[in-house]
């Protein structure tokens, strides 16, 4: 790492050796599937609505694989949050000015490819189209990363795995994943957990008591019935955890719901009023 | 006081969230026929009827009333089955009274009719069930408990003190725990989690003697007639019957196929005993299925008569209407039902495609002249109002690395994006079914020589003798489709809607395409399925389209109404046949659109007088076309109006 240089570490990535076990409550066979995919080095695509636990799942899997000795790189997980200005250069690397020199600096994807980490591209469809070129050569049998500016062809480390997430809900048709990209991945579908599991997750993550957690999960199931009214995602598990955390910090439950749920999911006045009422009658 | 109109929109969402499906929120006065009572809260399978006004300071009482009505569904009240209850209660099925018909009366009616005075039983049961439902509401919605308390204390304070058993029970249900001390334990049992509708029926049997001797009891008409709960039970039962019918039909089909296979295998053999048995079973099954089908049909008709035409697949909205005679708005006077067009089978879309191919290019060139509205920042350009920092940095890196840099280092805001949303609103009144050119009477002379049909000269005549006469709806559909496809090519968003209806409480609004959908085969099918229906109440349809356009959020909004003449409906104005009322309401609705920044145009396929258009539409905002040929030229008027502003 080149300390002191503002470009040395990209602001949109986070990379770390997962210190303690990230809490993850499996809802199906996703852990087994991921382990099998990793064993065969098949790239993985996580599909699901926002805040349902995709990122947490990847962190958990990185920790598991690290513990099992399958992942030895440090950091073992490099997460890149994609946005519409993210280009292939941002992923691969660029020349930087260092004093009087021009120095090549690997991007996060190149670092993961060289070191054998899991590279997690969050919300991949947000990224620019030129990134697909890199993804294609890395996600099939070639496992190659071409760097055109240096003329280098990097062979992926045996431990390297590409994981992407994408949210089919709110992406426009224009931003859909191409079949040629999608079909290079093993897809794992995520959705919000069932009532009991969601309550358990809320209680664990936010530290509220079981009653409040169950009530919040009930609110979620009711508010999700309104998905067609301008917010396609419904209320995410993450928002429920936020609500629980605010309640644990001493904020009154209805106020916490107002702050974390009502205003977060819609700007429509009637929808907000309805959600407020649902929270009002369901919370104790 | 709080009025329903202040809260109905969010209340419908509230109910939808809790019930998991859309439920119409209507005023009690909107109930069908004799059941209309402005003060009663009731429900049908697809609607909850609430009082127009309530004597409380905020919305909370409406929440309570909705929760209570949903409570009946959540607690399985309507799933009551008389026969199952008799088995559960280990009671003999009592001999049926001659006027009670198991398939025509609700299971509740059958239950009440086992008592000497069914009206007393009905009233008692409804109160007991209310007690059970209130307990459920308190348990499932703890946040609503204090709203329920407030509402009940209001009801309690309005009640005249009395020692009559029913009044005491009503007080108990409304929270006065001192009332009904003799039967308190029985009543409390209804409030436990394990109580169900059978518990209530059991208690009815046990408590009935206490109430039958209520000498002061004056049963009003409400209690004497069949209650809403009984209708709801019948609606729920009808759904079960329909499921049964489907299952029976499936079984029958499977049996028939088996028998057909059998017959093939035994081809030539004589009928043996087994085959005869199968035939008999089949015959019995068919009979059973047909009986059930008849029963379902009769029940459906009875419900339709009592509860109204089912509108479960629609969403409903209320809109004001302008009463020009009194110079005031009739608040929330019209109820509009919105539904997706459901094409029946694949329509002939090829004819529509042909029309698109023929006219799109011309129309597109007219519409293309609407100026793009949206500004967008464009990056990496040679000149502009700001430096594009990413491009500058990259250029610097390239220079330092000895690579020739990209010189496009600026960004600027360009008008590159057409930010237009259009809505096409097609009049689907019955009159659009009229042919454009009324068929001329066939020539009488029969002396003409019979033509030689093999002569190629006669082929065209021969090929299309049965062609459907060209109707107004065809021109409307085609004009709309050509404009829509032109906008589609230009990248604008647009919605396609049709409207019709009958009466102020049943305006029908059909959605063929919403702005965020693509113009695909499904939409073409929907357009082909747009058929003439009933009347033309334009005002509410325009107002609903305004709501849609405003929520779409584009900077330029265009509303194009395609119609064939006067707005008219059965109760559009005090005098039937007088068009002025409808005209004024439509003109007002168009003015409301203009106030909201929407450009409006009326395209009329009408050969009669056009005077009314001048009064109805703003200046130069109407086009009259006789045929598709007129459309491109007429559209020059549209873009001239829009671009010369």
């Amino acid at each position: 790492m080149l300390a002191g240089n503002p470009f040395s570490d990209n602001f949109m990535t986070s990379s770390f050796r997962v210190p303690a076990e990230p809490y993850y409550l499996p809802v199906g066979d996703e852990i087994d599937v991921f382990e099998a995919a990793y064993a065969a080095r098949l790239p993985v695509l996580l599909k699901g609505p926002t805040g349902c636990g995709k990122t947490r799942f990847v962190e958990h899997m990185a920790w598991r694989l690290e513990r099992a000795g399958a992942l030895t790189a440090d950091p073992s997980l490099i997460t890149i949050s994609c946005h519409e200005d993210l280009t292939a250069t941002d992923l691969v690397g660029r020349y930087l000015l260092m004093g009087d020199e021009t120095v090549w600096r690997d991007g996060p994807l190149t670092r993961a490819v060289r070191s054998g980490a899991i590279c997690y591209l969050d919300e991949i469809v947000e990224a620019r189209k030129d990134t697909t070129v890199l993804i294609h050569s890395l996600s099939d049998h070639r496992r190659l990363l071409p760097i055109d500016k240096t003329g280098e062809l990097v062979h992926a480390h045996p431990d390297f795995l590409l994981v992407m997430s994408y949210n089919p809900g709110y992406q426009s048709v224009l931003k859909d994943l191409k079949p040629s990209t999608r079909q290079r991945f093993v897809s794992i579908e995520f959705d919000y957990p069932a009532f009991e599991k969601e309550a358990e997750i809320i209680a664990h993550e936010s530290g509220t008591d079981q009653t409040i957690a169950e009530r919040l999960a009930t609110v979620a199931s009711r508010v999700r019935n309104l998905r067609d009214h301008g917010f396609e995602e419904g209320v995410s598990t993450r928002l429920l955890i936020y609500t629980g955390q605010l309640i644990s910090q001493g904020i009154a439950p209805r106020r916490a719901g107002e702050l974390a749920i009502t205003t977060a999911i819609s700007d429509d006045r009637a929808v907000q009023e309805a959600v407020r009422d649902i929270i009002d009658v369901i919370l104790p | 006081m709080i009025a329903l109109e202040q809260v109905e929109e969010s209340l419908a969402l509230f109910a939808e969230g809790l019930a998991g499906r859309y439920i119409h929120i209507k005023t009690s006065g909107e109930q069908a026929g004799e059941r209309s009572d402005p003060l009663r809260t009731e429900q049908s399978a697809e609607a909850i009827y609430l009082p127009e006004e309530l004597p409380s300071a905020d919305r909370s009482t409406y929440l309570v009333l909705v929760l209570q009505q949903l409570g009946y569904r959540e607690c399985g009240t309507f799933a009551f089955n008389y026969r199952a209850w008799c088995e559960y209660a280990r009671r003999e099925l009592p001999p049926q009274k001659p006027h009670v018909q198991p398939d025509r009366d609700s299971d509740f009616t059958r239950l009440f009719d086992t008592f000497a005075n069914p009206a007393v039983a009905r009233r008692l049961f409804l109160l007991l069930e209310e007690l059970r439902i209130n307990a459920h509401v308190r348990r499932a919605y703890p946040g609503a408990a204090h709203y329920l308390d407030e509402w009940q204390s209001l009801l309690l304070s309005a009640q005249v003190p009395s020692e009559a058993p029913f009044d005491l029970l009503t007080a108990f249900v409304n929270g006065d725990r001192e009332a009904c001390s003799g039967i308190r334990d029985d009543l409390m049992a209804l409030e436990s989690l394990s109580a169900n509708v059978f518990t209530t029926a059991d208690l009815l049997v046990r408590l009935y003697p206490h109430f039958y001797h209520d000498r002061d009891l004056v049963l009003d008409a409400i209690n004497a007639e069949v209650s809403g709960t009984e209708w709801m039970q019948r609606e729920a039962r009808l759904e079960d019957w329909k499921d049964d019918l489907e299952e029976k039909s499936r079984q029958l089909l499977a049996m028939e196929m088996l028998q057909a296979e059998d017959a093939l295998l035994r081809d030539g053999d004589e009928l043996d005993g087994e085959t005869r048995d199968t035939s008999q079973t089949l015959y019995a099954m068919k009979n059973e299925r047909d009986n059930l089908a008849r029963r379902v049909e009769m029940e459906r008709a009875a419900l339709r008569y009592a509860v109204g035409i089912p509108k479960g697949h629609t969403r409903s909205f209320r809109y004001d209407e302008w009463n020009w005679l009194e110079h005031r708005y009739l608040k929330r006077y019209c109820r509009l039902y919105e539904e997706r067009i459901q094409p029946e089978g694949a329509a002939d879309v090829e004819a529509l495609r042909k029309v698109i191919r023929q006219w799109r290019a011309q129309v597109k060139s007219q519409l293309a002249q609407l100026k793009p509205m949206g500004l967008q920042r464009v990056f990496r350009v040679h000149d502009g109002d700001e430096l594009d920092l990413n491009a500058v940095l990259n250029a610097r890196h390239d220079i330092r690395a000895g690579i020739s840099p990209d010189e496009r280092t600026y960004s600027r805001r360009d008008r590159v994006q057409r930010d237009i949303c259009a809505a096409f609103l097609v009049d689907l009144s019955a009159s659009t079914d009229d042919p454009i050119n009324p068929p001329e009477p066939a020539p009488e002379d029969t002396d003409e020589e019979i033509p030689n049909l093999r002569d190629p000269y006669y082929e065209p005549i021969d090929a299309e003798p049965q062609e459907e006469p060209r109707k107004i709806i065809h021109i409307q559909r085609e004009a709309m489709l050509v404009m829509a496809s032109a906008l589609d090519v230009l990248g604008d968003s647009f919605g396609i809607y049709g409207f019709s209806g009958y009466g102020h409480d049943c305006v029908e609004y059909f959605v063929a395409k919403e702005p965020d959908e693509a113009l695909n085969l499904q939409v073409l099918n929907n357009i082909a399925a747009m058929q003439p229906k009933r009347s033309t109440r334009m005002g509410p349809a325009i107002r609903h389209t305004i709501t849609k356009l405003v929520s779409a959020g584009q900077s330029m909004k265009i509303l194009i109404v395609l119609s064939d003449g006067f707005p008219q409906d059965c109760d559009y104005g005090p005098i039937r046949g007088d068009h002025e009322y409808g005209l004024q309401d439509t003109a007002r609705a168009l003015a409301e659109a203009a106030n909201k920044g929407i450009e409006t145009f009326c395209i009329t396929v009408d050969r009669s007088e056009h005077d009314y258009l001048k009064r109805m539409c703003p200046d130069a905002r109407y086009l009259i076309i006789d045929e598709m040929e007129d459309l491109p030229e007429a559209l020059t008027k549209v873009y001239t109006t829009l671009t010369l502003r």
Side-chain angles (χ1 to χ4, degrees):
Chain A
M1 187 163 297
L2 303 163
N5 187 324
F7 296 105
S8 62
D9 207 0
N10 210 318
F11 66 93
M12 66 227 155
T13 69
S14 60
S15 43
F16 53 90
R17 178 169 279 278
V18 185
E21 179 182 359
Y23 173 77
Y24 183 80
L25 186 68
V27 290
D29 61 352
E30 68 270 25
I31 289 184
D32 296 338
V33 172
F34 193 97
E35 281 178 345
Y38 184 77
R41 299 297 185 268
L42 298 175
V44 177
L45 176 67
L46 310 177
K47 279 163 68 170
T50 181
C52 70
K54 301 187 292 285
T55 304
R56 178 62 67 89
F57 173 67
V58 176
E59 288 172 11
H60 180 80
M61 290 315 298
W63 175 84
R64 276 180 97 95
L65 293 170
E66 206 178 302
R67 191 186 55 171
L71 262 182
T72 50
D74 185 11
S76 58
L77 174 65
I78 296 182
T79 301
I80 305 163
S81 306
C82 301
H83 53 84
E84 52 197 14
D85 281 334
L86 186 93
T87 60
T89 310
D90 295 325
L91 292 178
V92 173
R94 49 161 56 100
Y95 281 108
L96 292 176
L97 304 177
M98 305 273 299
D100 279 347
E101 283 178 284
T102 308
V103 181
W104 173 257
R105 167 94 183 121
D106 277 347
L109 179 64
T110 314
R111 266 185 282 153
V113 170
R114 288 192 208 276
S115 67
I118 291 179
C119 181
Y120 176 46
L121 298 172
D122 197 3
E123 299 294 356
I124 184 63
V125 284
E126 291 292 338
R128 289 206 184 170
K129 293 290 171 217
D130 59 350
T131 52
T132 39
V133 182
L134 308 172
I135 292 166
H136 281 196
S137 60
L138 269 177
S139 55
D140 56 24
H141 65 280
R142 292 171 286 172
R143 288 170 63 85
L144 282 176
L145 177 65
I147 305 179
D148 55 353
K149 288 213 173 174
T150 59
E152 199 180 350
L153 201 59
V154 186
H155 286 268
H157 187 282
D159 289 352
F160 168 78
L161 187 76
L162 187 62
V163 180
M164 309 196 308
S165 80
Y166 116 102
N167 182 348
Y170 67 78
Q171 313 295 357
S172 71
V173 184
L174 294 173
K175 283 189 170 176
D176 211 356
L177 270 188
K178 283 189 197 146
S180 58
T181 310
R182 194 187 299 211
Q183 292 192 10
R184 285 156 196 268
F185 288 80
V186 173
S187 293
I188 306 180
E189 292 250 15
F190 282 72
D191 202 349
Y192 299 123
F195 175 79
E196 287 81 12
K197 293 214 168 180
E198 189 155 45
E200 191 181 335
I201 294 168
I202 297 167
H204 180 276
E205 289 288 275
S206 66
T208 60
D209 62 57
Q210 191 64 23
T211 322
I212 290 279
E214 279 176 11
R215 289 276 132 193
L216 287 175
T218 312
V219 166
S221 69
R222 299 297 196 269
V223 173
R224 282 174 198 151
N225 286 334
L226 296 176
R227 277 185 197 194
D228 293 343
H229 297 276
F231 55 101
E232 295 181 357
E233 302 278 309
V235 50
S236 66
T237 310
R238 177 168 45 218
L239 282 183
L240 299 173
I241 294 169
Y242 287 175
T243 316
Q245 284 171 335
L246 288 176
I247 295 171
S248 301
Q249 294 300 320
I251 304 286
R254 279 174 186 70
R255 179 73 182 132
E258 170 82 22
L259 294 167
I261 300 175
T262 312
T263 45
I265 58 173
S266 175
D267 293 325
D268 184 304
R269 189 192 54 81
V271 173
Q272 282 192 352
E273 242 164 42
V275 171
R276 197 173 291 128
D277 287 340
I278 291 176
I279 294 172
D280 186 20
V281 299
I282 290 177
L283 288 187
Chain B
M1 293 295 263
I2 182 152
L4 183 59
E5 65 173 88
Q6 293 169 262
V7 296
E8 65 183 311
E9 197 184 345
S10 66
L11 213 54
L13 290 166
F14 173 75
E16 185 179 354
L18 294 181
R21 68 183 180 87
Y22 182 77
I23 296 175
H24 299 276
I25 297 291
K26 296 187 176 180
T27 63
S28 305
E30 287 183 77
Q31 274 188 294
E34 292 161 3
R35 297 175 61 227
S36 164
D37 173 358
L39 294 175
R40 196 157 31 150
T41 301
E42 257 198 30
Q43 61 178 318
S44 67
E46 52 204 31
I48 292 180
Y49 298 92
L50 299 167
E52 187 85 73
E53 273 187 344
L54 280 176
S56 44
D58 58 21
R59 52 200 290 112
S60 59
T61 311
Y62 276 119
L63 299 185
V64 168
L65 294 182
V66 169
L67 289 176
Q68 280 178 327
Q69 294 303 316
L70 294 179
Y72 286 99
R73 297 166 192 238
E74 290 163 359
C75 291
T77 301
F78 309 122
F80 178 77
N81 180 303
Y82 179 65
R83 182 179 287 273
W85 172 69
C86 287
E87 282 166 18
Y88 161 86
R90 298 214 179 101
R91 286 163 58 92
E92 295 263 313
L93 272 174
Q96 207 74 71
K97 287 183 187 170
H99 66 273
V100 175
Q101 293 171 299
D103 292 338
R104 302 244 187 115
D105 285 306
S106 135
D107 284 34
F108 283 124
T109 314
R110 292 175 69 189
L111 168 69
F112 303 149
D113 266 314
T114 57
F115 295 91
N117 187 342
V120 171
R122 174 177 294 121
R123 183 166 174 188
L124 180 57
F125 177 86
L126 291 178
L127 273 171
L128 294 175
E129 192 64 355
E130 191 180 335
L131 185 66
R132 184 171 79 93
I133 300 306
N134 283 347
H136 162 78
V137 169
R138 283 174 200 282
R139 263 195 311 273
Y141 305 101
H146 65 283
Y147 298 146
L148 184 57
D149 290 342
E150 284 169 21
W151 175 235
Q152 288 186 329
S153 64
L154 201 72
L155 290 175
L156 212 52
S157 63
Q159 203 182 336
V160 183
S162 149
E163 289 302 311
F166 266 116
D167 291 333
L168 288 174
L169 180 62
T170 309
F172 187 89
V173 171
N174 286 333
D176 180 3
R177 297 284 128 151
E178 301 307 315
C180 300
S181 51
I183 50 171
R184 189 180 305 152
D185 290 345
D186 282 335
L187 295 175
M188 300 283 251
L190 272 186
E191 296 185 327
S192 77
L193 186 61
S194 58
N196 58 25
V197 68
F198 288 168
T199 322
T200 316
D202 285 348
L203 200 58
L204 167 68
V205 174
R206 207 156 55 245
L207 296 186
Y208 178 79
H210 293 267
F211 290 83
Y212 183 55
H213 298 296
D214 185 349
R215 288 178 181 217
D216 302 330
L217 183 68
V218 181
L219 287 171
D220 53 44
I222 295 175
N223 295 314
E225 78 180 35
V226 172
S227 66
T229 310
E230 283 154 275
W231 285 112
M232 276 297 285
Q233 195 271 335
R234 284 176 69 171
E235 288 187 295
R237 189 176 60 181
L238 179 62
E239 290 307 312
D240 290 347
W241 286 355
K242 281 189 204 158
D243 291 347
D244 279 358
L245 185 61
E246 248 173 56
E247 180 58 33
K248 282 213 161 65
S249 302
R250 240 196 321 271
Q251 284 174 0
L252 194 64
L253 191 69
M255 278 289 279
E256 278 172 346
M257 282 168 74
L258 262 181
Q259 203 198 21
E261 270 176 34
D262 247 21
L264 267 181
L265 286 177
R266 291 159 195 266
D267 196 22
D269 293 357
E270 295 223 342
L271 272 181
D272 58 8
E274 201 182 324
T275 319
R276 248 194 312 276
D277 280 354
T278 327
S279 301
Q280 277 169 359
T281 324
L282 252 181
Y283 182 73
M285 276 175 78
K286 240 182 220 160
N287 253 347
E288 206 178 325
R289 198 258 328 251
D290 293 346
N291 280 338
L292 183 58
R294 266 194 294 278
R295 204 186 332 149
V296 166
E297 244 350 277
M298 275 166 63
E299 185 72 351
R300 207 198 311 250
L303 283 169
R304 191 174 285 214
Y305 178 71
V307 189
I309 297 165
K311 291 275 183 195
H313 54 295
T314 66
R315 288 173 179 272
S316 72
F317 306 83
R318 283 204 291 167
Y319 287 99
D320 299 347
E321 182 163 293
W322 176 246
N323 182 341
W324 79 288
L325 296 165
E326 296 175 21
H327 277 271
R328 68 182 179 95
Y329 277 105
L330 301 176
K331 283 282 172 200
R332 310 248 159 188
Y333 182 64
C334 300
R335 183 168 289 278
L336 177 144
Y337 292 92
E338 178 187 312
E339 63 182 288
R340 294 285 313 184
I341 290 181
Q342 306 286 352
E344 289 167 5
D348 176 23
V349 292
E350 197 41 51
L352 294 177
R353 284 182 204 272
K354 203 171 136 194
V355 174
I356 295 180
R357 278 195 296 272
Q358 191 178 353
W359 296 105
R360 180 164 67 189
Q362 288 183 53
V363 171
K364 183 189 145 197
S365 60
Q366 303 282 12
L367 294 176
Q369 298 183 45
L370 294 178
K371 279 189 186 146
M373 304 291 292
L375 289 169
Q376 198 177 39
R377 184 157 288 282
V378 193
F379 294 96
R380 289 177 196 258
V381 285
H382 283 286
D383 59 300
D385 52 0
E386 269 181 37
L387 279 172
D388 178 353
L389 281 178
N390 282 334
V392 172
L393 285 171
N394 279 340
R396 290 299 300 161
H397 302 157
D398 288 346
I399 291 168
R400 296 297 288 270
I403 305 168
S404 54
D406 189 342
E407 291 171 3
R408 296 171 300 164
T409 52
Y410 286 95
S411 76
R412 64 167 182 252
R413 281 159 71 78
D414 272 359
R415 283 183 185 276
V416 291
Q417 191 189 358
R418 285 170 61 94
D419 195 19
I420 296 176
C421 184
F424 295 96
L425 186 59
V426 185
D427 168 10
L428 297 179
S429 60
S431 56
T432 57
D433 206 20
D434 293 348
I436 310 271
N437 300 311
E440 289 171 16
E444 290 279 316
D445 58 350
T446 47
D447 302 342
E448 202 179 303
E449 207 177 300
I450 295 170
N452 174 9
L453 293 178
R454 294 192 174 201
D455 186 340
Y457 176 78
Y458 288 103
E459 255 185 9
I461 300 172
D462 215 20
E464 296 175 9
Q466 301 294 321
E467 200 185 343
E468 201 188 0
R470 197 156 165 76
K471 296 174 180 173
I472 295 173
I473 183 88
H474 293 144
I475 300 186
Q476 284 184 344
R477 244 177 5 209
E478 289 169 11
M480 180 267 295
L481 186 62
V482 168
M483 286 187 281
S485 63
L487 289 180
D488 193 49
V489 175
L490 293 169
D492 298 341
S493 62
F494 58 94
I496 297 175
Y497 313 101
F499 73 97
S500 181
Y502 192 73
H504 71 96
D505 53 356
C506 185
V507 181
E508 294 163 332
Y509 192 86
F510 304 95
V511 179
K513 176 187 176 300
E514 291 284 10
D516 53 358
E517 290 172 58
L519 182 63
N520 52 23
L521 185 64
Q522 176 66 40
V523 172
L524 282 184
N525 269 322
N526 290 349
I527 292 172
M530 282 182 148
Q531 292 298 340
K533 297 190 187 293
R534 302 198 275 182
S535 301
T536 327
R537 204 180 194 94
M538 255 188 218
I542 291 174
R543 291 186 178 97
H544 191 58
T545 317
I546 294 174
T547 317
K548 281 182 175 287
L549 277 172
V550 169
S551 67
Q554 268 81 356
S555 55
M556 184 181 225
K557 300 178 265 290
I558 305 174
L559 165 63
I560 298 176
V561 183
L562 295 107
S563 77
D564 73 329
F566 291 105
Q568 56 185 340
D569 196 0
C570 62
D571 57 353
Y572 217 7
I575 308 162
R576 203 180 167 121
D578 175 23
H579 302 307
E580 194 57 28
Y581 183 97
L583 211 75
Q584 293 287 348
D585 179 46
T586 307
R588 190 79 177 190
L590 289 171
E592 287 165 28
N595 283 341
K596 295 214 162 99
I598 298 171
E599 310 289 346
T600 59
F601 288 92
C602 293
I603 299 183
T604 300
V605 186
D606 188 3
R607 298 185 143 187
S608 59
E609 292 292 312
H610 307 125
D611 281 357
Y612 73 93
L613 278 172
K614 285 184 194 142
R615 284 186 290 136
M616 195 170 85
C617 308
D619 287 344
R621 291 303 177 98
Y622 60 89
L623 325 168
I624 300 149
I625 58 170
D626 285 343
E627 248 309 339
M628 284 301 289
E629 284 84 357
D630 305 335
L631 184 66
E633 198 191 324
L635 277 180
T636 42
K637 199 165 152 187
V638 175
Y639 86 81
T640 318
T641 319
L642 287 180
T643 48
L644 291 182
R645 275 179 310 133

